[in-house]
Amino acid sequence: MQANKQDVLKRLNYIEGHLGGIRKMVEEDKYCVDILRQTYAVRKAIEKLESLLVEGHLHGCVPEGIASGNGEAIIEELVQLYNLAGNR
Amino acid sequence: MQANKQDVLKRLNYIEGHLGGIRKMVEEDKYCVDILRQTYAVRKAIEKLESLLVEGHLHGCVPEGIASGNGEAIIEELVQLYNLAGNR
Amino acid sequence: MQANKQDVLKRLNYIEGHLGGIRKMVEEDKYCVDILRQTYAVRKAIEKLESLLVEGHLHGCVPEGIASGNGEAIIEELVQLYNLAGNR
Amino acid sequence: MQANKQDVLKRLNYIEGHLGGIRKMVEEDKYCVDILRQTYAVRKAIEKLESLLVEGHLHGCVPEGIASGNGEAIIEELVQLYNLAGNR
């Protein structure tokens, strides 16, 4: 992984903590809309984490892979990632 | 909450387990693209959970709220949820 | 349609004008990234239009439909719209 | 532009035709939900067009740009495109 490991782990901690809070709300039968506001916040946090991982990959593995002759496979992966990221 | 509680908790368990796997991959410095494939799967699982919560809300609180005279507040919340769901 | 017709038509004009500009860029073989920036802007404009239509629907047809006894069909449509909106 | 020009123009034609149909529905005051189903179809068509343009860019400009020493600018653009594509 090329992204900063401490930063990625900090974001994972935040997401896991947030999910624990959502579990508590579900167990206590809180109002659906309040739970949904929290799940949307978690989704945004995961998208931010993805953005960080993608940025690390683009700055690290992509130029390295192309320089070392694996360009075609690296580019094919980027096409797949783009489509996965957009649920396409 | 109007959605089936056992179903919601089962999905939360799945998401938390998946995140634990991602944490392990990050700690072991796995390849960025393999980590990203997992974060996209988690994002899809959260979207599925949201869908379940929204469906419960629409079938439960929305007709009840409108019938009991809180229609305006209920509708205003739906507008907000729609925009939150689409990152708008 | 419940949303303001002039506002919706104004947005459609804007989107069509923007697409005409994109067509010109494609015909003149402009740089892909410059074309993509324009297609993303069009996508955002369509999402804004959707938001406007959804808001009109929620404030108009939804309470009316529930009041006149068509609640179940109206709610089922909202579930479908939510999933369509999120490509789910 | 690196994507196939005839394919891109064909998709633009389709999107413009579809928008013309939506304009007609709006002018004739059709049911909001029927209009929304069409705007979601247009949004999906634009996302498909974006996907095509991104693929062309990744297979063409990206390896060429890196090979000719413009790697840093090319990578920076890809980071921006990824974030734009996801509304982030």
Side-chain angles (χ1 to χ4, degrees):
Chain A
M1 194 190 59
Q2 301 268 348
N4 182 287
K5 197 193 273 199
Q6 291 320 308
D7 199 1
V8 171
L9 289 172
K10 210 178 64 184
R11 283 172 194 278
L12 280 170
N13 284 346
Y14 170 81
I15 292 167
E16 287 177 323
H18 216 132
L19 279 172
I22 291 173
R23 167 184 298 281
K24 201 156 166 285
M25 292 176 85
V26 170
E27 283 165 349
E28 293 173 353
D29 269 319
K30 296 293 188 205
Y31 182 43
C32 333
V33 174
D34 292 333
I35 299 175
L36 275 163
R37 287 190 213 279
Q38 300 308 314
T39 61
Y40 293 136
V42 166
R43 175 147 55 99
K44 267 195 121 61
I46 288 178
E47 288 171 357
K48 191 81 197 79
L49 172 64
E50 287 167 8
S51 209
L52 201 75
L53 291 166
V54 164
E55 204 165 327
H57 180 62
L58 287 171
H59 280 116
C61 319
V62 172
E64 286 164 25
I66 292 177
S68 68
N70 294 318
E72 235 171 287
I74 283 282
I75 293 296
E76 211 39 73
E77 260 178 2
L78 286 181
V79 172
Q80 283 174 29
L81 284 184
Y82 183 86
N83 289 327
L84 270 175
N87 280 342
R88 267 152 228 150
Chain B
M1 193 189 62
Q2 301 269 349
N4 182 288
K5 197 193 273 198
Q6 291 320 307
D7 199 1
V8 171
L9 289 172
K10 211 178 63 186
R11 283 172 194 279
L12 280 171
N13 285 345
Y14 170 81
I15 292 166
E16 288 177 323
H18 217 132
L19 279 172
I22 291 172
R23 167 184 299 281
K24 203 159 164 285
M25 291 176 86
V26 170
E27 283 165 350
E28 294 174 352
D29 269 318
K30 297 291 187 204
Y31 182 43
C32 333
V33 174
D34 293 332
I35 300 175
L36 275 163
R37 288 191 213 279
Q38 300 308 313
T39 61
Y40 292 136
V42 166
R43 174 147 57 98
K44 266 195 120 62
I46 288 178
E47 288 172 357
K48 190 82 197 79
L49 172 64
E50 288 167 7
S51 208
L52 201 76
L53 291 165
V54 165
E55 203 165 328
H57 180 63
L58 287 171
H59 280 115
C61 320
V62 172
E64 286 165 24
I66 291 177
S68 68
N70 294 318
E72 236 169 287
I74 284 281
I75 293 296
E76 212 37 73
E77 260 178 2
L78 286 180
V79 173
Q80 283 174 28
L81 284 184
Y82 182 85
N83 289 327
L84 270 175
N87 281 342
R88 267 152 230 149
Chain C
M1 194 190 59
Q2 300 271 346
N4 182 288
K5 196 192 274 199
Q6 291 321 307
D7 200 1
V8 171
L9 289 172
K10 211 178 63 186
R11 284 173 192 279
L12 280 170
N13 285 346
Y14 170 80
I15 292 167
E16 288 177 322
H18 216 131
L19 279 172
I22 291 172
R23 165 184 299 280
K24 202 157 163 287
M25 292 175 85
V26 170
E27 283 165 349
E28 294 172 354
D29 269 318
K30 297 292 188 204
Y31 182 43
C32 333
V33 173
D34 293 331
I35 300 174
L36 275 163
R37 287 190 214 278
Q38 300 308 314
T39 61
Y40 292 138
V42 166
R43 176 147 54 99
K44 267 195 120 62
I46 288 177
E47 289 171 358
K48 192 79 198 82
L49 172 64
E50 288 167 8
S51 208
L52 201 75
L53 291 166
V54 164
E55 203 164 327
H57 180 62
L58 287 170
H59 281 116
C61 320
V62 171
E64 286 164 24
I66 291 177
S68 67
N70 294 318
E72 235 169 288
I74 284 281
I75 293 296
E76 211 40 72
E77 261 178 1
L78 287 180
V79 172
Q80 282 173 30
L81 284 185
Y82 182 86
N83 289 325
L84 270 175
N87 281 343
R88 268 150 227 149
Chain D
M1 194 190 59
Q2 300 270 345
N4 182 288
K5 197 193 272 200
Q6 290 321 307
D7 199 2
V8 170
L9 288 173
K10 210 178 65 186
R11 283 172 194 280
L12 280 170
N13 284 345
Y14 170 82
I15 292 167
E16 287 177 324
H18 216 131
L19 278 173
I22 291 172
R23 167 185 300 279
K24 201 156 165 287
M25 291 176 85
V26 170
E27 282 165 350
E28 294 173 351
D29 268 319
K30 297 292 189 203
Y31 182 43
C32 335
V33 174
D34 292 333
I35 300 175
L36 275 163
R37 288 190 212 280
Q38 301 307 313
T39 60
Y40 292 138
V42 167
R43 175 148 54 100
K44 268 195 119 61
I46 289 177
E47 288 171 358
K48 191 80 198 81
L49 172 64
E50 288 166 7
S51 209
L52 201 75
L53 291 166
V54 165
E55 204 164 328
H57 180 62
L58 287 170
H59 281 115
C61 320
V62 172
E64 285 164 24
I66 292 177
S68 67
N70 294 317
E72 235 170 287
I74 284 281
I75 293 296
E76 212 38 73
E77 260 179 1
L78 286 180
V79 172
Q80 282 174 29
L81 284 185
Y82 182 86
N83 290 326
L84 270 175
N87 282 341
R88 268 152 229 149

